[in-house]
Amino acid sequence: MTIQWVAVASFLYAEIGLILIFCLPFIPPQRVLRRLVTLITQLAKEISNKGVLKTQAENTNKAAKKFMEENEKLKWVLKNHGKDEENILETENKKLVEDQEKLKTELKKASD
């Protein structure tokens, strides 16, 4: 039991000695205050940059979603318009084939 108390007491005395060493003014207070001020200003800049980057990311995300929706709409329109266009082309092709046949028969009549 005494060994444990000796260990605890030595730890506490060492801690008190370390605290007293830290209390000695071997570092000038102006240097500490300047460093503290520079660190605080750097932190404030980083926080403001974080806010700016966050808003830019949100705006970019919104724009990307909007463009994706427009892309889907355009694909749908092209898909539906493409079907209509195919139907129109098929009917025009049928009309041209019929006209060709009529012209062939007229040419035969004219040549006879």
Side-chain angles (χ1 to χ4, degrees), residues 33-105:
L33 287 173
R34 283 183 198 149
R35 180 69 179 152
L36 185 62
V37 169
T38 56
L39 288 175
I40 290 172
T41 55
Q42 286 177 353
L43 181 63
K45 287 179 184 177
E46 293 300 321
I47 289 173
S48 67
N49 286 342
K50 179 185 170 188
V52 169
L53 291 175
K54 185 177 179 182
T55 56
Q56 285 179 348
E58 288 173 354
N59 290 339
T60 305
N61 193 14
K62 287 179 186 177
K65 284 182 181 178
K66 184 178 102 176
F67 291 140
M68 287 174 64
E69 289 173 0
E70 288 179 4
N71 190 18
E72 290 297 323
K73 287 180 184 177
L74 288 174
K75 283 182 181 178
W76 184 79
V77 168
L78 286 174
K79 183 179 176 183
N80 290 338
H81 184 66
K83 288 181 181 177
D84 294 339
E85 193 171 293
E86 288 176 7
N87 291 338
I88 292 171
L89 289 175
E90 286 179 12
T91 56
E92 286 181 3
N93 284 339
K94 287 179 183 177
K95 287 180 183 177
L96 289 174
V97 168
E98 290 174 2
D99 289 341
Q100 182 183 12
E101 290 175 5
K102 286 181 185 178
L103 289 174
K104 282 182 182 179
T105 56

Side-chain angles (χ1 to χ4, degrees), residues 4-43:
Q4 292 174 345
W5 288 111
V6 171
V8 170
S10 62
F11 178 76
L12 291 174
Y13 288 130
E15 188 178 3
I16 290 171
L18 188 64
I19 289 172
L20 288 175
I21 290 173
F22 283 142
C23 288
L24 293 175
F26 61 90
I27 299 174
Q30 291 88 9
R31 183 173 176 182
V32 173
L33 287 173
R34 283 183 198 149
R35 180 69 179 152
L36 185 62
V37 169
T38 56
L39 288 175
I40 290 172
T41 55
Q42 286 177 353
L43 181 63

